[in-house]
Every structure is written in C-alpha cells, then in structure tokens.
Amino acid sequence: MLLHGFGSCHETWRDVISALAPSARVLAYDLPGHGNSLECDGNGGAKQAARAILADLAIRRLGRVHLVGHSMGGAIATLMALADPERVASLTLLAPGGFGPEINGPLLRRYAAADDSNEIRACLAAMSGPGSMPPEHVVEALLRMRGRPGQLQTLVDIAAAMTRDDRQGVIPGERLETLNMPVMVVWGTDDPVLPVDQAESLPAHFHLHHVLEAGHMLAEEAPDLIAEVVRRNTRRRRRGRRPVLGAAAS
C-alpha cells in the first residue's frame, strides 16, 4: 500500500508500481486533501489522515498490508503502524516526515502554490538531487490534479499548517521504539526538503538505506531501487515473531 508525499497524488507511483508488478498487488491512495480524496475525511493533519486510511482499509476488509510512505505519507504510514501495528506487515519509509523538526518550509509553500507545468517542474527539480529532472508524466499528473476546483487553496492551507515557523511536528522516539514490524528507512543524501541527518536518531532496529546523490523525490528519481527495497523489506522477519508471508493486499 503506497502513500505519496505532500502535494502529490497516486499517479506519481506509476514507475514504482511497474517495477513491483506482477509479484505484488498494489493499492495506491490519494491522501486526504489531494486529488480524488480532496473532500474526504482526514484532511487536517497526519493523525487525521492515518485514522481515515485505517478506516478505509477496514471497509475494504483488507488484512495485513506492507505499507510504503513518502515524506508526509511516511509520517502518516508511521502513525498508522503505531495505531494499529497488527495491520502492518512491514513499513518502508522514504524520507519520512516527523523524524526531526527541520523542514524546508519556503520550498514546500512554493510547491503548494505551483499552478502551471513550468512551476511544478521547477519545484520538483528543486526537491530532487543534483541533475535529476522530474518525469513528464508526473508533471502532467500533478497539473491535472491541481486543476480541480479548490485543490490549490487546500494545498496552500496544508503547507501553511505543516510548515508553521518552518518547523514540523516530530513523532517521539520512544514511540518509534515500540514498532516491531520490519522497518526500512530510505533517504537521499542530498535531500533539500528534510535533511538526511534526521535519520541519525532512528531506533537501532530500523534499517537505513542511503541513496547517494538523490534528493527528496525518491520514487521519481530511483523507482527501480525503491521497488527493490520494498521487496526486500517485505521478506524480512518481524521482531520476535515468525516471518510474515505474502505480498501486500489490494
């Protein structure tokens, strides 16, 4: 199950999903306040979004899922795992939010207000590693999403709340220690949005994978690598438990 980052949508996972197929069944959400979920419950913060997505999983009658989250989606995925750990078979976090207070507020607020393809492309490039250009299908998907009535203002409001005083909320380390499913954290060494040194305080049982010369947009910059990391994490053992078998439900 895939959760995108702030200002994005489910379509930005396209290359990762292609790399995962056909071995996995995949469910990619639009987060509350984004795209097809613009007006759904849960728009208002990571905690509300986590509750809304867990409720939707229950409605879908899905069992245990392998959960993948990028940036804000990583914070939401972590809160879902904390709230309902038996629901989550593994947790793969790509430059996750909530692991340190530092955040590039000006860049995220600029991205929130981007309303044409050139500005969207420029913001994505600014969030990526040196020399990395965003895929055009991602630019086109985000432009379509932002054409929905009310979408831009919603993104501007979310960005303002998320980056107030250019700081973000932090998930307490003692809570992270309680997670016993396999946890893999992936971070670009040149991330301009959330500094990679936020990974230095991870619990000892978390696995960490640095992506050299990559920025914040890991699913777009290195989709094949991300798919392989997800596959590897789904095969790892739960702490103190027998292995969890099977792929993500959808």
Side-chain angles (χ1 to χ4, degrees), residues 109-182:
R109 291 190 292 271
R110 175 188 171 191
Y111 178 49
D115 62 355
D116 64 60
S117 59
N118 288 333
E119 182 64 0
I120 292 170
R121 190 180 297 108
C123 288
L124 292 175
M127 292 189 285
S128 302
S132 180
M133 291 301 296
E136 279 304 305
H137 75 84
V138 171
V139 175
E140 293 167 4
L142 296 183
L143 183 62
R144 288 194 301 273
M145 181 191 84
R146 288 152 188 263
R148 293 172 177 267
Q151 179 66 88
L152 272 178
Q153 187 59 53
T154 297
L155 292 180
V156 168
D157 293 343
I158 294 173
M162 184 173 61
T163 66
R164 187 174 292 114
D165 299 323
D166 292 334
R167 310 289 277 182
Q168 65 170 336
V170 178
I171 302 169
E174 59 269 22
R175 296 195 67 200
L176 299 176
E177 290 281 357
T178 68
L179 294 173
N180 69 352
M181 71 286 295

Side-chain angles (χ1 to χ4, degrees), residues 1 3 28 34 59 64 66 83 94 101 110 130 138-139 146 150 172 190 194 199 214 217 223 227 229 232 244:
M1 197 183 87
L3 302 178
H34 295 71
I59 292 170
R64 293 162 64 79
H66 297 286
L94 315 180
R110 175 188 171 191
V138 171
V139 175
R146 288 152 188 263
D190 296 321
L194 299 174
M217 310 305 290
V229 168
R232 276 190 275 139
V244 176

Side-chain angles (χ1 to χ4, degrees), residues 31-34 40-53 72 75-76 79 157-158 161-162:
L31 294 181
H34 295 71
C40 82
D41 292 338
N43 183 15
K47 290 181 181 179
Q48 295 93 322
R51 286 196 292 265
I53 297 169
M72 184 173 78
I76 293 168
L79 293 172
D157 293 343
I158 294 173
M162 184 173 61

Side-chain angles (χ1 to χ4, degrees), residues 56 66 70 100 102 147 162 169 247:
D56 187 75
H66 297 286
H70 170 238
E102 301 85 6
M162 184 173 61

Side-chain angles (χ1 to χ4, degrees), residues 15-39:
D15 293 339
V16 173
I17 293 171
S18 295
L20 286 171
S23 61
R25 298 170 60 202
V26 179
L27 177 64
Y29 274 90
D30 280 345
L31 294 181
H34 295 71
N36 293 323
S37 301
L38 177 58
E39 298 180 359

